[in-house]
Amino acid sequence: GSEGWAKPSGPPPGGLQRDWQPAPGATPGQLQWHSSATASGDLSPRGRTFVKRYYDGRLSLITEHEVRWSGEHRYAVRFSGPELSPADGVGFVLHRRLPCPRNIQKIHSTFVSTRGFLCCRTGQNVDRQTVGLPNLEIGRLIVVTVNVDEAWIRFEVEGGDGVVARAQAPMDTSATPDGKAVGFFCAVVKHESVGLAFQVEEEAAAEK
């Protein structure tokens, strides 16, 4: 299921970009949403949980609080709320600065859609592939692992029967300025009252 995906490029430089204000009471090193998410909704005191409150029916792109320049990173999340839209999803944006551009059609990303398609967006073009992932569902665990140095991404999605399906693919770095897979975790939410929370390692491990 990896036909049509670009091959990985060379390793990016090390280091992290930090251009955010940590939420009060946040734990150092803990995954948090970037403060720009408050333009579309509410953040919990520690920044782990986002709930959309504004712009119902319009796509809101929310991201983590750090740019990842190297290494392997794991994100465990769960959606909450009434229901997901077909446009919702989670993935990784190839971009060097935060906050992320608001126009989704101008970013380069690899993501899994609500319908379980593995997608690569390059500007306005989206390459969708069927890889056997179940639909994303409210309350179900979704784990995304990204290796920035080797430019690959893996999705693990819990289905309605509790079975976890996995899919992995190279990230398409062909449209980035220097061919490097620098970027950050992201999610797209369309409807009000839909939320998304980072799970701490203990919570995620207990559910796997």
Side-chain angles (χ1 to χ4, degrees), residues 22-144:
T27 302
Q30 177 178 282
L31 291 172
Q32 300 172 52
W33 297 111
H34 191 271
S35 57
S36 59
T38 56
S40 299
D42 297 333
L43 286 178
S44 63
R46 295 190 178 186
R48 281 177 52 191
T49 301
F50 165 83
V51 178
K52 182 164 179 173
R53 300 298 186 193
Y54 320 117
Y55 307 112
D56 185 38
R58 295 174 58 183
L59 299 182
S60 296
L61 179 68
I62 59 172
T63 70
E64 64 166 318
H65 65 282
E66 293 182 336
V67 175
R68 307 295 179 173
W69 293 85
S70 65
E72 188 169 307
H73 307 278
R74 179 178 181 275
Y75 308 90
V77 295
R78 294 181 195 273
F79 280 100
S80 62
E83 64 176 344
L84 300 179
S85 82
D88 294 345
V90 296
F92 197 78
V93 172
L94 300 182
H95 197 68
R96 291 176 173 267
R97 294 184 62 83
L98 285 168
C100 183
R102 293 187 179 183
N103 189 339
I104 293 177
Q105 294 187 347
K106 291 186 178 181
I107 67 174
H108 308 295
S109 61
T110 304
F111 61 96
V112 61
S113 70
T114 307
R115 304 305 186 199
F117 293 109
L118 190 60
C119 306
C120 178
R121 173 181 287 280
T122 304
Q124 295 183 351
N125 299 318
V126 179
D127 175 25
R128 295 179 176 87
Q129 305 225 359
T130 302
V131 291
L133 291 175
N135 293 350
L136 306 186
E137 297 182 20
I138 296 294
R140 296 291 180 179
L141 184 66
I142 307 163
V143 177
V144 181

Side-chain angles (χ1 to χ4, degrees), residues 136-185:
L136 306 186
E137 297 182 20
I138 296 294
R140 296 291 180 179
L141 184 66
I142 307 163
V143 177
V144 181
T145 304
V146 174
N147 189 303
V148 176
D149 302 301
E150 299 177 7
W152 56 257
I153 187 168
R154 180 171 64 242
F155 296 96
E156 301 172 74
V157 181
E158 182 183 13
D161 55 2
V163 175
V164 176
R166 297 172 176 84
Q168 180 172 317
M171 287 187 286
D172 183 356
T173 59
S174 61
T176 58
D178 55 8
K180 295 179 180 178
V182 175
F184 39 82
F185 180 80

